[in-house]
């Protein structure tokens, strides 16, 4: 801009921030600038989706015959998902595109966090030692919460828009608090950073616990005694000047690895595997369909779908006869209610599967007109993905269609065995339920009825046994044995009965049978326990089921940072 004699305050420069009805101003600025050879900056064009087609026309109109010095600069925030890509192709194709990519890796992120400050910042507080230590710990924390996102649901259950403002405001708060109090108010600071500054973005309770745990590990009195490790092999630095801290990062920060985040190296393997699977799935979906396949390809495709369709219809059992089942029930115990509800949910799903498959069969024979729903079903069967209308009526799952259907048949068999005489199975497959919470609640209800205890004063106790499901011939007198859970982020040591570090490349390990029984809440032992969330799938987040307390010899915070959870399916 300097070579042409343009500066940001001269009158040949029009800066319009869009979003508050500024479109008319922007159009006037463009017309004037095109004639006079001025520059125009239009900021936040992503906020005016409806106006973008008019902007495209306007740019096309000025592309010829306008002044040679006329320039336009457009800015927009990145879209959160592909369906929010709203900037017209014409604008994109005719622009020189510059993107500001966020840095990747702990090293770049930590330098970037520190770049928000300077030597003057470090000298502004009277309590220099405390201020500098906490500021550096906050920079590490900031880099860590931003970069932990790359580990998917094991990193954070949900994605949050942490930003530079969170860090700079936290440092201002730190300065004000240190100036105003005689001793460092660690608890208050952690609360302000973890519940308000950063916590204000967080909507998931488990993510809130994670954020809080990081701050408890980093911001505590020991930080001034030179004993605090921000990560294995990376101690909190002592008192240095601004450039000294940047140098310290270069010299002392270990190479990028999940250890810097408190995670196990398996977390990286998991993310890379899922990314490659997603990539292959997209490549498969992009394969040309029958239009360019020629006659042979289209026929082969139809035959594949037809064979699969017939096999599924043949394997699907009849729906559960709810009226008959209810007639043979002597007493509607909490467990019986759960079994009947599960049968009803299963009927809704299997009847939709049968209906849609029969409809597609008729469509492929030419007896019905093919609709878009039928085509979607046909594509799903061919690509081995679970069809949309089935997903809506089913339970969360990340499986491909073949695995999903085999799993469905197993679920039906389990239900048939249970509703045969309604006696509780010796070991219950917790993942086999549409609603596992209802079964866990039933354990509490039946114990509460038996002992006449108030339900709201009860909790579940989980004792991990040393046995597998085959070793149990009958259910316990109270409670239930459950099987089919997997641990992610760590492993269960059956011999010592505690959580321990996972072995490399063992991403999810099957748990032994767990004995679950209901006890009065005030009787539960929470010492040396890790409150472990149970999720239905690896997606975690909204698939949360319950919390099981598991024994640990190490500090539970280790397992919080490692994202340790139990999963009902992998």
């Amino acid at each position: 801009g300097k070579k042409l004699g343009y500066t940001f305050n001269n009158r040949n420069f029009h800066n319009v921030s869009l979003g508050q009805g500024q479109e008319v101003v922007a159009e006037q600025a463009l017309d004037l600038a095109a004639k006079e050879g001025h520059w125009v900056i239009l900021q936040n064009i992503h906020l005016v989706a409806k106006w973008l087609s008019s902007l495209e026309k306007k740019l096309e109109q000025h592309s010829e015959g306008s002044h040679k010095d006329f320039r336009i600069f457009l800015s927009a925030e990145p879209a959160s998902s592909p369906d929010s890509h709203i900037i017209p192709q014409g604008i994109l194709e005719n622009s020189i595109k510059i993107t500001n990519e966020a840095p990747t890796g702990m090293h770049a992120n930590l330098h970037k966090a520190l770049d928000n400050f300077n030597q003057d910042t470090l000298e502004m507080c009277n309590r220099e030692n405390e201020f500098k230590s906490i500021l550096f710990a906050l920079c590490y924390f900031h880099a860590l919460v931003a970069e932990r996102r790359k580990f998917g649901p094991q990193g954070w259950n949900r994605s949050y828009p942490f930003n530079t403002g969170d860090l700079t405001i936290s440092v201002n708060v730190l300065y004000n608090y240190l100036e105003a109090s005689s001793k460092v108010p660690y608890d208050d600071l952690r609360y302000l950073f973890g519940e308000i500054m950063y916590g204000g973005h967080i909507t998931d309770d488990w993510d809130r616990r994670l954020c809080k745990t990081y701050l408890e590990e980093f911001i505590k009195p020991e930080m001034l005694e030179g004993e605090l490790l921000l990560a294995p092999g990376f101690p909190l630095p002592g008192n240095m000047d601004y450039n000294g801290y940047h140098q310290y990062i270069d010299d002392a920060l270990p190479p990028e690895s999940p250890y810097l985040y408190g995670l196990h190296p398996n977390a990286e393997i998991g993310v890379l595997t899922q990314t490659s699977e997603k990539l292959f799935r997209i490549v498969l979906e992009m394969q040309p369909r029958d239009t360019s396949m020629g006659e042979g390809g289209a026929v082969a495709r139809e035959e594949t779908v037809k064979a699969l369709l017939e096999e599924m219809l043949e394997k699907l059992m009849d729906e559960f006869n709810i009226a008959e089942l209810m007639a043979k029930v002597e007493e509607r115990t909490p467990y019986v209610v759960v079994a009947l509800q599960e049968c009803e949910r299963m009927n809704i799903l299997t009847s939709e599967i049968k209906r849609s498959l029969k409809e597609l069969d008729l469509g492929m024979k030419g007896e019905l007109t093919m609709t878009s729903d039928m085509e979607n079903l046909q594509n799903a069967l061919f690509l081995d993905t679970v069809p949309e209308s089935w997903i809506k009526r089913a339970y969360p799952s990340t499986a491909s269609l073949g695995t999903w259907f085999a799993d469905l048949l197993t679920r039906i068999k389990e239900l048939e065995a249970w509703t045969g005489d309604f006696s509780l199975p010796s070991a219950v497959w917790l993942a086999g339920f549409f609603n596992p919470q209802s079964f866990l609640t039933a354990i509490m209800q039946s114990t509460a009825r038996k002992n006449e205890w108030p339900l709201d004063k009860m909790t579940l106790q989980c004792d991990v046994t040393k046995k597998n499901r085959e070793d149990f011939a009958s259910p316990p007198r109270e409670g239930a044995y459950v099987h089919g859970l997997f641990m992610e982020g760590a492993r269960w040591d059956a011999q010592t009965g505690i959580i321990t570090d996972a072995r490399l490349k063992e991403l999810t390990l099957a748990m032994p049978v767990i004995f679950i029984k209901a006890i009065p809440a005030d009787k539960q032992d929470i010492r040396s326990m890790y409150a472990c969330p149970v999720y239905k799938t690896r997606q975690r987040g909204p698939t949360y089921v319950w919390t099981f307390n598991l024994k640990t010899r190490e500090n539970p915070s280790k397992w919080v940072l490692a994202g340790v959870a139990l999963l009902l399916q992998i």
Side-chain angles (χ1 to χ4, degrees):
K2 272 196 184 142
K3 281 185 191 162
L4 294 171
Y6 277 84
T7 58
F8 276 87
N9 54 7
N10 84 15
R11 62 189 177 75
N12 301 338
F13 191 91
H14 308 271
N15 188 355
V16 183
S17 186
L18 293 157
Q20 286 128 16
Q22 295 290 306
E23 296 88 346
V24 178
V25 178
E27 288 184 12
Q28 288 166 351
L30 286 168
D31 292 340
L32 177 65
K35 199 164 87 193
E36 303 290 338
H38 297 173
W39 287 14
V40 179
I41 283 194
L42 300 181
Q43 294 183 45
N44 301 324
I45 61 169
H46 60 281
L47 297 177
V48 285
K50 291 197 174 86
W51 180 69
L52 290 178
S53 54
S54 315
L55 173 64
E56 187 179 11
K57 288 194 190 94
K58 182 71 72 185
L59 295 181
E60 209 173 295
Q61 180 190 324
H62 289 314
S63 62
E64 285 172 18
S66 56
H67 195 289
K68 65 177 175 50
D69 291 337
F70 173 47
R71 298 284 185 280
I72 302 164
F73 300 87
L74 306 172
S75 81
E77 281 187 10
S80 53
S81 62
D83 44 321
S84 339
H85 289 167
I86 52 169
I87 297 172
Q89 207 170 339
I91 295 182
L92 291 172
E93 282 174 355
N94 294 316
S95 309
I96 296 170
K97 286 164 284 296
I98 301 170
T99 59
N100 180 9
E101 290 286 335
T104 56
M106 200 60 186
H107 191 272
N109 267 287
L110 186 48
H111 275 302
K112 190 185 174 205
L114 199 54
D115 284 342
N116 292 297
F117 310 104
N118 54 35
Q119 185 59 32
D120 293 346
T121 319
L122 298 186
E123 289 171 3
M124 73 185 193
C125 185
N126 290 323
R127 320 226 357 225
E128 193 183 322
N129 235 357
E130 293 94 328
F131 181 68
K132 283 182 171 181
S133 292
I134 297 176
L135 184 141
F136 192 89
L138 270 175
C139 285
Y140 191 84
F141 168 73
H142 178 80
L144 187 145
V145 296
E147 195 58 9
R148 193 178 161 109
R149 275 188 289 231
K150 70 180 176 191
F151 295 102
Q154 202 179 337
W156 292 104
N157 267 341
R158 292 178 167 82
S159 190
Y160 301 111
F162 298 122
N163 57 57
T164 314
D166 301 328
L167 175 61
T168 50
I169 293 168
S170 294
V171 169
N172 288 339
V173 167
L174 168 66
Y175 167 74
N176 292 332
Y177 266 69
L178 288 184
E179 291 287 314
S181 51
S182 55
K183 56 180 201 288
V184 182
Y186 289 103
D187 292 351
D188 294 359
L189 290 172
R190 282 197 303 264
Y191 182 84
L192 288 162
F193 304 151
E195 299 288 338
I196 298 169
M197 304 309 166
Y198 287 84
H201 297 292
I202 297 176
T203 53
D204 179 280
D205 290 344
W206 298 101
D207 287 342
R208 193 172 289 281
R209 175 178 80 161
L210 171 66
C211 177
K212 209 171 134 193
T213 305
Y214 271 133
L215 290 165
E216 282 165 2
E217 293 294 303
F218 295 164
I219 297 177
K220 54 186 178 182
E222 291 89 309
M223 65 194 307
L224 299 174
E225 290 151 28
E227 295 164 13
L228 189 83
L229 287 178
L230 292 170
F234 190 56
L236 181 73
N239 192 337
M240 299 179 181
D241 67 2
Y242 181 69
N243 293 333
Y245 283 125
H246 275 299
Q247 190 59 50
Y248 178 77
I249 296 168
D250 288 337
D251 297 344
L253 185 67
E256 182 68 19
S257 86
Y259 285 126
L260 297 180
Y261 308 84
L263 288 157
H264 189 276
N266 285 348
E268 193 160 39
I269 301 173
V271 170
L272 294 173
T273 310
Q274 283 166 8
T275 309
S276 356
E277 281 172 1
K278 192 176 173 187
L279 178 66
F280 288 131
R281 163 75 49 209
I282 291 168
V283 169
L284 179 65
E285 285 171 1
M286 286 170 70
Q287 294 297 307
R289 304 265 161 91
D290 35 28
T291 45
S292 57
M293 276 182 183
E295 206 49 47
V299 169
R301 181 190 168 95
E302 288 221 346
E303 280 171 3
T304 308
V305 172
K306 193 150 181 45
L308 188 57
L309 182 148
E310 284 168 358
E311 184 193 351
M312 284 181 162
L313 283 172
E314 190 185 320
K315 285 185 176 172
L316 269 180
M317 298 79 157
D318 288 336
E319 279 152 41
F320 290 97
N321 187 326
I322 306 286
E324 236 172 64
L325 290 177
M326 286 172 90
K328 73 177 180 189
V329 169
E330 288 162 22
E331 184 198 351
R332 286 188 66 136
T333 66
Y335 294 127
V336 167
V337 171
V338 170
L340 292 171
Q341 282 172 348
E342 289 290 318
C343 291
E344 282 168 3
R345 291 281 300 268
M346 188 56 84
N347 283 353
I348 292 169
L349 174 59
T350 53
S351 67
E352 168 57 21
I353 295 175
K354 283 179 189 165
R355 184 204 65 75
S356 58
L357 288 175
K358 284 173 182 166
E359 183 183 67
L360 176 61
D361 191 32
L362 293 172
M364 286 166 70
K365 283 176 183 162
E367 291 172 30
L368 276 180
T369 312
M370 283 289 271
T371 61
S372 63
D373 283 350
M374 287 147 89
E375 276 176 19
N376 290 342
L377 176 59
Q378 189 177 15
N379 286 335
L381 295 180
F382 184 69
L383 293 170
D384 193 29
T385 59
V386 185
E388 196 59 44
S389 73
W390 304 4
I391 290 174
K392 276 185 193 151
R393 293 163 177 80
Y395 28 81
S397 171
T398 53
S400 60
L401 179 59
T403 318
W404 183 90
F405 192 74
D407 173 76
L408 172 76
L409 298 179
T410 315
R411 286 167 183 257
I412 295 172
K413 280 199 190 83
E414 289 272 325
L415 265 180
E416 283 182 335
W418 189 10
T419 51
D421 59 356
F422 282 104
S423 63
L424 195 63
S426 52
V428 175
W429 182 36
L430 196 57
F433 292 100
F434 280 82
N435 184 357
Q437 290 94 320
S438 64
F439 178 74
L440 295 170
T441 307
I443 296 178
M444 294 208 288
Q445 287 170 327
S446 53
T447 311
R449 283 184 190 180
K450 197 167 161 185
N451 300 315
E452 296 183 348
W453 292 340
L455 191 61
D456 59 347
K457 299 274 193 301
M458 295 180 68
T459 186
L460 290 181
Q461 178 177 304
C462 318
D463 293 322
V464 185
T465 68
K466 291 185 179 178
K467 300 175 179 176
N468 292 322
R469 60 180 296 201
E470 298 77 29
D471 305 327
F472 292 91
S474 60
R477 279 204 304 275
E478 261 191 9
Y481 297 123
V482 301
H483 70 89
L485 288 93
F486 300 87
M487 183 174 277
E488 184 176 46
R491 73 186 166 90
W492 182 259
D493 186 330
Q495 291 329 105
T496 52
I498 54 165
I499 308 175
T500 186
D501 285 313
R503 296 189 186 99
L504 201 59
K505 296 185 184 171
E506 287 184 354
L507 271 60
T508 41
L509 269 129
M511 292 287 286
V513 167
I514 302 177
F515 172 35
I516 297 183
K517 64 175 181 189
I519 55 166
D522 54 7
K523 294 270 192 299
Q524 73 169 331
D525 183 7
I526 50 170
R527 287 166 309 164
S528 310
M529 289 286 189
Y530 166 60
C532 183
V534 181
Y535 298 101
K536 290 179 186 173
T537 73
R538 272 199 169 135
Q539 304 312 123
R540 299 194 177 197
T543 71
Y544 169 74
V545 176
W546 209 273
T547 306
F548 287 179
N549 284 334
L550 300 176
K551 287 199 178 81
T552 172
R553 275 199 205 128
E554 300 187 63
N555 190 330
S557 65
K558 172 177 176 167
W559 311 121
V560 173
L561 303 187
V564 176
L566 288 173
L567 308 175
L568 295 184
Q569 44 174 303
I570 50 171

